[in-house]
Amino acid sequence: MLCFCPTLIHCLFFACSVEGEVSGVYLQYPLVGGPCESENVSKRISAQERVTLTHPIWLLLSVTEQEATRILLQQPVGVFLVRRSSALQKKVLSLRVDNTPGSPIIHYPLEESLFNVVLERAMHKCVLKPLHGSVYAALHKFQVSSGVWQRLQENLAIAKSKQPGELGADTVRSPDLHAIKRIRLKLRSMCKMYSPERKIKVLLHVCKLIYTDMQNRSGRSFGADDFLPMLTYVLAQCDMPQLDTEVQYMMELLDPSLLHGEGGYYLTSACGAMSLIKNFQEDQAACVLSSATRSTLHQWHQRRTIQRNLPSVDDFQNFLRVALQEADSGCTAKTLQVHPNNTTEEVSRLCAHKFHVTDPENYALFLITDDCSQQLAPDTYPQWIKAEFQSRPHPKAFYFVYRRLPNPNGCKPSQSHNSSCTED
Amino acid sequence: MAAGGPGSKTYSFKVVLLGEGCVGKTSLVLRYCENKFNDKHITTLQASFLTKKLNITGKRVNLAIWDTAGQERFHALGPIYYRDSNGAILVYDITDEDSFQKVKNWVKELRKMLGNEISLCIVGNKIDLEKERHVSVEEAEGYADSVGAKHYHTSAKLNKGIEELFLDLCKRMMETAQAEERLRGNGASTAAPGRRGVQIIDDEPRAATAAGGCCSSG
């Protein structure tokens, strides 16, 4: 967390050194002079402002290492300047420290991209820590109500009863009960953490344990062909359905820049493994599932990708935007909560209620695209239809419209859209 | 995508590795990254996720190479791995016609899901087994041409063609990234990289009019 520092020049940057590079810069009280010279000053001006305002003093990009040393040697302990090193192609923080034991000046190369990490961490502590429990409860409730939890538990039980070979993993190299127990303990501790970054660290550690175990038994390096089945086997053996929620939590909250790195890779693998476990029985229905998975993924991708447009409310799962079309008053749209397993019949009932329609038997739900309008059959699933549309590479505009039937007896509901969900 | 201070641009690219099991994806990437691991990473000795730093014409490039499981049963997981990739390396075994077919399926899927932004490399591996070749050079190169991909021949065993493959891919990804930058308006960070979070917009009027317009035409 950021602390206030009272004097302008004597800001001491406390640098956390990791393998010789500064991974985070924190503002701290100066070593001498007590916490705050004047309460008033620190109230009027924030630490960030203080540093920003004084940058002409400490930001000396053109200064060389020799010059920096010369300047700082005449300064008290704790004074710093920031310069640019042409050799390292990085900014370097030069800090005057105590003479003992080593050099009186230490030069820390700055990992600029990591500034955000510090802020992110602080935000997690302020926001995520108190909310962690509620977010979990909400995610869990959502899984239970959508039926995912039930399916996960059933399939996990089946997957757990399988031998490594049946999951595509190498029997010889699979971890023994003792190793599984160790991994389970680690994962349990991971579940208690609120910070997605820390969770990822535990996950990486678990992956490393699996690798080490595999390697001890064969002595070579493994790619995804060997690792993913093994991870699936291990996670099934751990028998922790809550891991599915864990993965979701991390996928949603991890800094997007980290999603490209090693943590992102192994999180993706864990997500894949849980998805395999969750759908263990439904292999035969792979097409339908992959379409659903794809749409969830597509929505997640849109939410979580840097440099893309921000998502609109429509992108969120389990919301369906339905417009009521009346001959006299035009269209009014409402966002309704609709689960993937809700049928058109149920959605129509919900629409009648929400739009205060007194004669629902004369109304029906239609899917309207640029070139066609179709009445949806009562047993189709609007969320699946929406998913199918959104998972297309170039999604067309489409709308769900609840409107009066033109001729109550003359219109046949179309079946075609449920079948299109199962295509490819 | 690209980070770094002014004047010292660093490109970060994600490359996904696809192909049937046993075509040699893992050996290929291990060869490439051999002894040059970034020792900061935890799973240094493994081949599922590897990083490599390059310097191409004065520009620094960080590559993250994502391996995928090639077995059929994992096919459906493809999208979670290849999302946001800048490049894809599709590996087949020149002695195995079937593995080439699999590559074709991947190409179709990638083009459908990611469009033309992704640089595709089709790689015929195991050219040390030239005598047992089952996929003809003409067919493979012709196919690659027809889908806007580049074709390479490699041997992980003999360490042939691998360096060239990755170097070439990096250059292509840099071109794509540069073209994108130009399109965005050169330098000015209009795209506000790193902006994130959820913006809740009341879209009531917009959706209503859109639906209305559409209804009246139908």
Side-chain angles (χ1 to χ4, degrees):
Chain A
M1 291 299 304
L2 298 174
C3 302
F4 285 83
C5 67
T7 52
L8 291 180
I9 306 175
H10 283 217
C11 299
L12 168 70
F13 274 77
F14 172 73
C16 255
S17 171
V18 175
E19 291 177 25
E21 289 206 336
V22 177
S23 68
V25 175
Y26 302 87
L27 292 168
Q28 277 211 338
Y29 298 120
L31 292 173
V32 278
C36 282
E37 275 172 13
S38 152
E39 281 293 316
N40 291 338
V41 175
S42 66
K43 272 179 190 157
R44 266 186 279 122
I45 179 166
S46 76
Q48 196 191 345
E49 281 173 318
R50 207 178 301 271
V51 175
T52 316
L53 288 172
T54 56
H55 82 265
I57 301 169
W58 53 262
L59 189 65
L60 303 168
L61 292 182
S62 56
V63 162
T64 64
E65 186 173 334
Q66 289 78 8
E67 283 173 291
T69 307
R70 190 179 52 78
I71 296 167
L72 290 172
L73 274 175
Q74 295 158 17
Q75 301 295 326
V77 169
V79 172
F80 72 91
L81 60 83
V82 174
R83 60 188 175 84
R84 171 170 283 284
S85 153
S86 51
L88 295 171
Q89 287 286 308
K90 269 180 185 167
K91 288 198 188 85
V92 173
L93 187 147
S94 301
L95 174 70
R96 175 77 162 93
V97 290
D98 231 326
N99 279 336
T100 50
S103 154
I105 315 283
I106 298 181
H107 305 279
Y108 297 103
L110 295 181
E111 200 60 73
E112 286 172 56
S113 58
L114 291 179
F115 287 143
N116 286 333
V117 176
V118 177
L119 285 178
E120 182 87 2
R121 226 173 266 160
M123 285 302 289
H124 283 164
K125 199 164 181 181
C126 299
V127 180
L128 218 47
K129 198 176 175 187
L131 277 180
H132 172 240
S134 316
V135 170
Y136 251 94
L139 280 174
H140 182 70
K141 200 175 150 200
F142 167 74
Q143 281 191 310
V144 172
S145 65
S146 65
V148 170
W149 184 256
Q150 176 73 21
R151 196 177 84 213
L152 173 62
Q153 281 189 313
E154 286 167 15
N155 282 301
L156 181 57
I158 298 167
K160 190 177 182 267
S161 68
K162 301 290 176 196
Q163 294 299 312
E166 290 171 275
L167 294 165
D170 192 329
T171 314
V172 187
R173 286 193 283 266
S174 52
D176 54 21
L177 280 178
H178 176 71
I180 298 278
K181 207 172 151 188
R182 226 174 119 203
I183 288 170
R184 195 185 292 133
L185 277 177
K186 288 216 172 292
L187 291 174
R188 286 237 169 90
S189 74
M190 179 182 88
C191 294
K192 294 197 188 99
M193 297 168 172
Y194 71 87
S195 151
E197 270 85 38
R198 283 211 213 141
K199 282 176 190 283
I200 285 286
K201 282 206 179 115
V202 178
L203 183 67
L204 283 174
H205 199 89
V206 165
C207 292
K208 185 169 180 158
L209 283 177
I210 298 173
Y211 273 130
T212 312
D213 225 75
M214 287 164 81
Q215 213 159 14
N216 284 346
R217 289 159 207 259
S218 82
R220 66 178 175 95
S221 293
F222 295 97
D225 283 347
D226 297 293
F227 180 73
L228 186 61
M230 193 59 83
L231 180 69
T232 311
Y233 169 73
V234 170
L235 293 186
Q237 288 303 308
C238 284
D239 197 17
M240 293 170 66
Q242 66 268 40
L243 286 180
D244 198 48
T245 324
E246 285 292 322
V247 168
Q248 272 187 48
Y249 184 90
M250 287 186 265
M251 295 270 270
E252 293 293 340
L253 294 168
L254 194 70
D255 191 303
S257 62
L258 296 179
L259 283 170
H260 268 204
E262 188 169 45
Y265 178 81
Y266 287 101
L267 177 60
T268 301
S269 300
C271 173
M274 286 315 287
S275 156
L276 287 170
I277 293 172
K278 201 166 25 180
N279 303 318
F280 197 71
Q281 269 181 310
E282 287 87 346
D283 266 351
Q284 65 276 19
C287 296
V288 182
L289 278 165
S290 73
S291 150
T293 312
R294 211 186 307 148
S295 116
T296 313
L297 182 82
H298 175 80
Q299 294 175 9
W300 174 76
H301 173 79
Q302 290 208 325
R303 281 201 302 280
R304 300 289 293 156
T305 303
I306 323 174
Q307 294 181 6
R308 303 251 160 134
N309 294 332
L310 292 168
S312 80
V313 175
D314 294 351
D315 289 335
F316 295 109
Q317 258 182 305
N318 293 330
F319 288 101
L320 194 72
R321 193 118 185 120
V322 181
L324 172 74
Q325 190 188 20
E326 294 274 47
D328 47 348
S329 64
C331 278
T332 17
K334 274 187 193 296
T335 302
L336 308 175
Q337 198 179 4
V338 174
H339 285 299
N341 52 355
N342 286 145
T343 59
T344 294
E345 196 176 359
E346 288 164 325
V347 176
S348 301
R349 258 204 308 276
L350 186 67
C351 289
H353 174 71
K354 293 280 184 189
F355 291 118
H356 308 294
V357 167
T358 47
D359 51 341
E361 64 280 3
N362 293 326
Y363 281 77
L365 192 63
F366 287 78
L367 176 76
I368 295 183
T369 57
D370 288 341
D371 42 16
C372 76
S373 154
Q374 253 178 327
Q375 186 187 342
L376 300 176
D379 59 347
T380 54
Y381 300 97
Q383 285 290 16
W384 289 80
I385 296 169
K386 179 177 136 189
E388 163 63 18
F389 265 84
Q390 286 185 336
S391 66
R392 292 180 185 177
H394 307 290
K396 266 203 290 182
F398 61 95
Y399 306 97
F400 290 97
V401 175
Y402 185 65
R403 70 175 179 213
R404 190 174 279 281
L405 290 165
N407 173 2
N409 305 319
C411 193
K412 275 217 173 128
S414 152
Q415 296 282 356
S416 72
H417 260 99
N418 248 14
S419 60
S420 80
C421 293
T422 57
E423 270 175 16
D424 57 59
Chain B
M1 176 180 294
S8 66
K9 195 161 202 71
T10 304
Y11 290 98
S12 290
F13 295 127
K14 171 177 166 183
V15 174
V16 68
L17 210 54
L18 299 161
E20 210 182 17
C22 305
V23 295
K25 283 177 296 167
T26 307
S27 335
L28 200 79
V29 74
L30 264 179
R31 255 302 181 203
Y32 182 59
C33 297
E34 226 171 19
N35 304 325
K36 291 162 194 162
F37 297 112
N38 180 346
D39 53 13
K40 266 191 207 164
H41 287 276
I42 292 183
T43 50
T44 300
L45 296 169
Q46 302 308 330
S48 303
F49 174 87
L50 289 169
T51 57
K52 174 124 179 158
K53 289 187 176 179
L54 296 150
N55 201 319
I56 298 172
T57 58
K59 301 260 166 52
R60 285 182 300 156
V61 178
N62 291 337
L63 270 190
I65 306 167
W66 289 44
D67 192 15
T68 61
Q71 301 91 318
E72 192 53 45
R73 70 165 82 196
F74 301 120
H75 187 96
L77 299 178
I80 64 173
Y81 283 93
Y82 61 64
R83 64 171 286 274
D84 250 1
S85 291
N86 305 94
I89 297 178
L90 303 125
V91 191
Y92 69 93
D93 174 351
I94 60 159
T95 68
D96 180 0
E97 171 73 49
D98 212 37
S99 68
F100 184 61
Q101 199 51 50
K102 290 269 156 53
V103 162
K104 288 184 177 175
N105 295 344
W106 278 118
V107 169
K108 239 182 265 164
E109 183 170 334
L110 287 172
R111 285 282 183 235
K112 186 178 161 204
M113 305 300 286
L114 303 177
N116 287 324
E117 279 169 43
I118 185 166
S119 306
L120 300 185
C121 296
I122 297 176
V123 178
N125 192 30
K126 304 197 185 176
I127 50 166
D128 44 293
L129 302 175
E130 187 63 47
K131 279 182 215 148
E132 296 161 52
R133 179 186 275 281
H134 275 99
V135 182
S136 81
V137 178
E138 301 76 50
E139 187 196 351
E141 287 180 347
Y143 172 74
D145 243 16
S146 73
V147 294
K150 281 254 173 86
H151 189 277
Y152 304 85
H153 275 116
T154 58
S155 163
K157 196 174 173 188
L158 307 174
N159 198 4
K160 265 194 184 160
I162 299 172
E163 205 65 46
E164 295 85 333
L165 154 69
F166 279 96
L167 187 66
D168 213 39
L169 173 61
C170 283
K171 285 183 184 161
R172 283 164 61 203
M173 291 189 297
M174 279 167 77
E175 274 164 31
T176 311
Q178 281 158 359
E180 219 168 83
E181 272 160 38
R182 277 195 296 276
L183 216 69
R184 273 210 310 265
N186 229 355
S189 58
T190 43
R195 195 162 67 129
R196 49 184 295 233
V198 174
Q199 194 179 357
I200 310 268
I201 306 157
D202 185 9
D203 60 349
E204 194 94 11
R206 190 206 67 188
T209 49
C214 160
C215 297
S216 57
S217 70

